[in-house]
Amino acid sequence: MERQKAKAVLESILFTMGESVEVDRLSCVIEEDKKATRQILLEMKEEYDGREGGITLMELDGSFQMCTKAEMYEYLVKIAKTPRKYVLTDTLLETLSIVAYKQPITRLEIEKIRGVSCDHAVNRLVEFGLIAEVGRMDAPGRPLLFGTTQEFLRSFGVKSLEELPELSQIQIEEFKEQAEQEISVSVEV
């Protein structure tokens, strides 16, 4: 397929879908290999970013999505009046970080790490679209497994989970000390 025609086809698919589409699927449609398709998409992103328009392409973990440029957000707010906004409390952030780094993970495993019930936090994160059920564990009771979503990647501005910061051994030791101090304080009370 001619390059301009391929770009037009990809643009129409991404516009119509309204969500991210895997490069594999897109390459089948334009009858190109995955590498060539990704290169065309990156060219399109460069073209969108180089003009004064309001849209761009975003790459999310092997998928691409058409989206609004960040600098257009204030104008969207004016028209939408009540943009979907959520507040992540410390509890939600803590639970989300456990899921992000340990996924796929069950509620019970999250509770073991946190030391407290996590039902509310997990339910809120699912409601916000930051985590989702990704399957069931092959164990008695077949507990649900949770993992992060593409909305998580978008919200935190990362293309894939590999871009998440790694914790140093010193940070891990500091976290352990803080947790032990919190446990000893709650036991004394």
Side-chain angles (χ1 to χ4, degrees):
M1 185 180 291
E2 175 211 328
R3 201 163 191 84
Q4 270 314 114
K5 174 77 171 174
K7 287 181 181 181
V9 169
L10 293 171
E11 181 179 57
S12 66
I13 290 170
L14 294 173
F15 176 78
T16 303
M17 294 300 288
E19 57 187 35
S20 64
V21 181
E22 298 83 10
V23 174
D24 292 344
R25 291 177 60 202
L26 294 170
S27 65
C28 289
V29 172
I30 64 168
E31 300 173 350
E32 290 281 351
D33 64 44
K34 198 171 150 180
K35 185 176 180 180
T37 302
R38 186 173 184 281
Q39 186 57 44
I40 293 170
L41 289 161
L42 291 174
E43 283 177 26
M44 290 171 62
K45 177 178 176 30
E46 201 172 294
E47 290 167 9
Y48 281 124
D49 292 346
R51 63 183 185 83
E52 295 280 331
I55 58 174
T56 187
L57 290 181
M58 178 181 274
E59 185 176 3
L60 300 164
D61 202 19
S63 300
F64 279 82
Q65 179 174 358
M66 187 173 279
C67 61
T68 307
K69 288 183 179 177
E71 58 267 22
M72 298 296 135
Y73 182 72
E74 67 179 283
Y75 304 106
L76 292 173
V77 170
K78 288 178 181 178
I79 196 75
K81 301 269 191 238
T82 55
R84 184 174 156 194
K85 192 174 182 179
Y86 39 77
V87 176
L88 295 178
T89 62
D90 289 345
T91 300
L92 294 179
L93 280 172
E94 183 180 308
T95 304
L96 182 58
S97 63
I98 291 168
V99 173
Y101 282 98
K102 298 286 190 177
Q103 64 186 300
I105 189 169
T106 65
R107 281 183 206 256
L108 184 60
E109 291 171 320
I110 297 168
E111 289 174 358
K112 281 183 182 176
I113 293 169
R114 289 200 60 235
V116 295
S117 174
C118 68
D119 286 342
H120 174 73
V122 168
N123 291 341
R124 293 295 287 171
L125 292 170
V126 168
E127 181 183 316
F128 292 157
L130 297 172
I131 67 171
E133 297 172 7
V134 294
R136 290 191 172 269
M137 182 180 268
D138 190 20
R142 306 221 352 110
L144 290 171
L145 291 167
F146 293 92
T148 56
T149 63
Q150 288 186 342
E151 180 62 30
F152 166 81
L153 297 175
R154 268 190 293 282
S155 296
F156 288 88
V158 293
K159 291 181 184 178
S160 69
L161 295 173
E162 287 77 40
E163 287 187 10
L164 292 176
E166 290 186 33
L167 294 176
S168 69
Q169 195 57 40
I170 295 169
Q171 289 172 313
I172 292 170
E173 292 302 319
E174 287 175 2
F175 291 151
K176 283 182 182 177
E177 286 176 27
Q178 288 174 356
E180 288 170 1
Q181 288 174 354
E182 288 176 10
I183 289 171
S184 67
V185 168
S186 64
V187 170
E188 292 172 10
V189 173

